[in-house]
Amino acid sequence: MLKKRVAANIVVKDGLVVQSVKFKKYLPVGKPKIAIEFLNLWGIDEIILTDISASKKKLTPNFDIVHEISSKCFVPLTVGGGITNTEHIKKLMHCGADKISINQIAIFHPEFITKAAGIFGNQCIVVSIDAIKENNKYFVFDYINKKQIKISPAELAKQSELAGAGELLINSVDRDGTYLGYDIELINSVCEVVKIPVICCGGAKNANDFIEVFCKTNVSAASAANFFHFTEHSVITTKANIIKKHNIRIETHATYYENNFNEDLRLLKSEDHKLEEMLFVKIEKEII
Amino acid sequence: MNRSLKWGPMMKSKINIVIIDYGIGNVKSVSNAISYLGYNRLNISSQEQIIKKADVLILPGVGAFDEAIRNLKSRNLEIILNEQVLLKKKPILGICVGMQMFVTNSEENGIHNGLNWIKGNVKKLKLLANFSIPHVGWNNVIYKSATTIFNRNSDESNFYFDHSYHVECDVKNIVAYCNYGIKITAAIQQENIFGVQFHPEKSHISGLKMFRGFLNSI
């Protein structure tokens, strides 16, 4: 059966991976290539790379970064940021992107979705929607002009699906970088009106948030931008906890099935005798 | 989950692999995966003289069937491949829409003829309620025993799928399927012709093992 996906959002600003907080504050993390390499090693299901400086500075997508990282990426790579025409998409795919994501152009020129889907196939086109809440209602957020647009995320989602989008990425501006969990109400408002797969992002702190969003919504994938960067084997330990409640993919050599975690789902030290046994276990590198 | 460690068998690193470049698909991803496995006689080309010298061919594919088949034909590749695959019996692996082109026709964006190497049709997925389309994500593949291309994979490995159309053909040509409410053809074979609906180049270790299984078997 199809598994729920555990994805990572890599937010790139001026060539560096950053942590993002409410779309306002950005803290540096490091080089995209290193992030991609670790996420791959740790068994991430999918990577979404978004260049948030491209559209703002009216630059083209960063083809060099994509070219550099794609050789280390053996899981699907969605690239977004600065796409304004189909030549950009063609070049990005040539550099190693598997899917592309569009945000600005999808809001103001939905016909571009149709054009791109016609050439590249709708499964390549991910429409990324940023959502902000005001007066108890959700609106689409225009991150360039830093203001809300008079359309709900659900409406834009429906419009994008009709135009030919293959997948939707819903980002919560309010939850971004807060570790308060996914905005379930927002995600459901979108999932209820479309038939195409939805990926959610914004607010994940640990595996419990993934478990919650997979329980309470119909998302196809849940993504985290910040917390995967904080600990060694973050993806694996997160998945070791998610799999207790949901069927997901775990195919790494390390599994953490026999480990214990505290209430914040941080890895606890194993018992001394177990650690002593591990001293003498030889781990061979798997040859494919 | 206990994982038994395997030693890689003697790798046929000297085989000449050609990934067919017909303007469609993520040739770079496929070539990354093949290079990673250590095969250095690798070409990405649509040139007849290069394809003729290949020991094995790979036909990647992403996107709509009609665009793909049009691109293939406009580069004269239908004729070249018919000769290399049907007459010279060169092993070929088709990926996603690459595999779909091997059958008789597709109903995507109208009825379009494929290469007709394997009798079958490409149809839109008719899914049960609550199942999203496209079929996107990791799904476990169930293969018939003694299938050469999966002999390096553990049982029911997950592979990455991303498609709205699928192949329907004779059960004798189906070597693997997956479950998405309905049974979906995951892999087909007829003699030297192999096809997979999923993307092995995007299926991490499972995909790499499948490439190894395929390239070792030729």
Side-chain angles (χ1 to χ4, degrees):
Chain A
M1 209 23 137
L2 190 70
K3 316 284 182 300
K4 296 286 184 190
R5 287 173 278 163
V6 172
N9 258 40
I10 302 283
V11 181
V12 175
K13 187 171 193 281
D14 302 324
L16 262 191
V17 178
V18 293
Q19 268 184 71
S20 157
V21 185
K22 298 205 177 196
F23 281 49
K24 279 185 222 163
K25 193 161 95 173
Y26 301 102
L27 301 165
V29 171
K31 290 186 182 170
K33 189 169 159 187
I34 309 292
I36 304 288
E37 208 173 313
F38 279 120
L39 289 167
N40 261 267
L41 279 173
W42 298 341
I44 196 76
D45 293 333
E46 188 148 353
I47 295 176
I48 303 159
L49 183 107
T50 311
D51 181 349
I52 59 170
S53 25
S55 287
K56 207 166 242 177
K57 296 185 174 177
K58 301 217 196 305
L59 296 171
T60 58
N62 196 331
F63 302 111
D64 293 330
I65 281 189
V66 180
H67 191 92
E68 189 188 29
I69 65 178
S70 63
S71 56
K72 297 261 178 232
C73 197
F74 295 105
V75 294
L77 179 66
T78 302
V79 177
I83 296 172
T84 54
N85 61 48
T86 54
E87 275 310 302
H88 288 159
I89 302 180
K90 190 170 181 182
K91 200 167 174 195
L92 281 171
M93 305 208 73
H94 199 75
C95 286
D98 300 295
K99 304 182 208 173
I100 57 95
S101 89
I102 45 178
N103 179 310
Q104 285 290 299
I105 199 167
I107 303 171
F108 302 112
H109 301 283
E111 65 279 5
F112 179 74
I113 302 173
T114 315
K115 184 179 180 190
I119 301 171
F120 303 99
N122 60 7
Q123 70 280 350
C124 291
I125 314 295
V126 179
V127 168
S128 174
I129 300 174
D130 303 320
I132 200 161
K133 195 173 193 178
E134 188 167 303
N135 295 331
N136 261 323
K137 291 218 304 235
Y138 292 105
F139 295 95
V140 172
F141 184 71
D142 171 356
Y143 76 96
I144 299 283
N145 299 308
K146 296 206 194 299
K147 56 180 189 175
Q148 46 165 272
I149 302 176
K150 296 264 177 286
I151 181 173
S152 73
E155 278 157 27
L156 181 57
K158 193 119 190 78
Q159 182 184 298
S160 303
E161 182 189 39
L162 279 168
E167 270 180 285
L168 296 167
L169 172 61
I170 302 297
N171 277 304
S172 166
V173 178
D174 302 305
R175 297 287 172 108
D176 181 44
T178 61
Y179 311 110
L180 293 172
Y182 290 108
D183 189 335
I184 303 293
E185 194 192 329
L186 163 66
I187 297 164
N188 271 325
S189 75
V190 169
C191 285
E192 277 158 14
V193 299
V194 293
K195 275 202 78 79
I196 54 178
V198 175
I199 309 164
C200 62
C201 193
K205 177 183 170 183
N206 60 31
N208 284 332
D209 298 310
F210 284 84
I211 292 172
E212 189 192 16
V213 82
F214 289 152
C215 260
K216 295 184 179 171
T217 76
N218 201 18
V219 274
S220 180
S223 183
N226 298 335
F227 91 90
F228 285 140
H229 298 303
F230 300 160
T231 51
E232 189 77 13
H233 280 188
S234 53
V235 177
I236 313 177
T237 52
T238 303
K239 282 189 168 187
N241 284 294
I242 300 173
I243 202 165
K244 293 171 185 170
K245 295 278 161 65
H246 292 284
N247 192 7
I248 53 165
R249 167 195 162 244
I250 295 189
E251 285 171 339
T252 42
H253 183 78
T255 62
Y256 292 93
Y257 287 147
E258 276 142 45
N259 290 79
N260 292 312
F261 297 84
N262 70 6
E263 340 62 77
D264 282 322
L265 298 186
R266 296 182 80 150
L267 195 59
L268 289 169
K269 175 181 166 290
S270 294
E271 291 149 44
D272 284 338
H273 71 92
K274 265 197 185 161
L275 291 174
E276 281 188 36
E277 280 165 36
M278 280 169 69
L279 276 175
F280 303 104
V281 171
K282 185 179 183 194
I283 301 185
E284 306 271 357
K285 186 173 173 175
E286 190 181 18
I287 296 177
I288 300 169
Chain B
M1 179 162 82
N2 276 322
R3 191 173 273 258
S4 63
L5 300 155
K6 300 175 193 166
W7 286 101
M10 286 299 287
M11 185 187 88
K12 301 176 187 172
S13 60
K14 301 257 186 283
I15 54 171
N16 225 314
I17 304 170
V18 172
I19 299 170
I20 296 159
D21 183 3
Y22 59 112
I24 292 269
N26 51 350
V27 286
K28 185 165 191 290
S29 299
V30 178
S31 115
N32 278 338
I34 307 284
S35 301
Y36 181 86
L37 291 171
Y39 299 99
N40 43 29
R41 293 202 184 169
L42 178 59
N43 272 306
I44 300 174
S45 175
S46 58
Q47 304 297 317
E48 184 168 10
Q49 58 271 41
I50 297 187
I51 293 174
K52 271 186 164 165
K53 292 203 193 117
D55 296 312
V56 61
L57 302 166
I58 299 181
L59 186 69
V62 155
F65 186 98
D66 55 334
E67 183 82 8
I69 198 79
R70 218 185 343 252
N71 273 35
L72 202 69
K73 288 181 179 174
S74 69
R75 285 164 175 74
N76 213 31
L77 286 165
E78 185 180 15
I79 299 172
I80 298 171
L81 291 175
N82 278 343
E83 192 200 6
Q84 295 298 310
V85 175
L86 299 176
L87 281 172
K88 306 271 190 224
K89 301 286 185 189
K90 281 216 174 117
I92 185 166
L93 174 70
I95 297 172
C96 197
V97 82
M99 151 177 140
Q100 292 180 352
M101 288 195 286
F102 292 168
V103 304
T104 314
N105 60 31
S106 167
E107 64 178 28
E108 187 173 4
N109 298 335
I111 307 283
H112 299 275
N113 289 331
L115 297 163
N116 201 25
W117 293 343
I118 300 180
K119 291 269 170 290
N121 312 91
V122 177
K123 300 254 162 144
K124 184 148 199 194
L125 286 169
K126 279 194 205 71
L127 301 170
L128 307 177
N130 287 337
F131 282 80
S132 304
I133 194 167
H135 171 221
V136 189
W138 295 86
N139 204 337
N140 53 304
V141 167
I142 301 142
Y143 14 88
K144 292 185 183 168
S145 53
T147 303
T148 44
I149 64 169
F150 294 111
N151 67 7
R152 303 283 299 153
N153 289 96
S154 50
D155 277 339
E156 301 205 23
S157 294
N158 288 298
F159 291 91
Y160 195 88
F161 290 81
D162 192 355
H163 62 119
S164 308
Y165 288 79
H166 72 135
V167 164
E168 284 179 3
C169 65
D170 195 309
V171 78
K172 73 176 196 288
N173 292 119
I174 300 178
V175 296
Y177 66 93
C178 66
N179 211 309
Y180 188 47
I182 58 167
K183 239 173 161 173
I184 298 179
T185 304
I188 58 177
Q189 184 193 345
Q190 183 166 279
E191 294 173 66
N192 53 315
I193 304 165
F194 299 83
V196 290
Q197 180 64 70
F198 53 80
H199 288 275
E201 73 284 9
K202 292 285 119 180
S203 296
H204 206 214
I205 307 281
S206 301
L208 291 169
K209 286 182 174 177
M210 192 229 81
F211 274 128
R212 179 71 84 204
F214 169 66
L215 293 167
N216 275 350
S217 74
I218 61 117

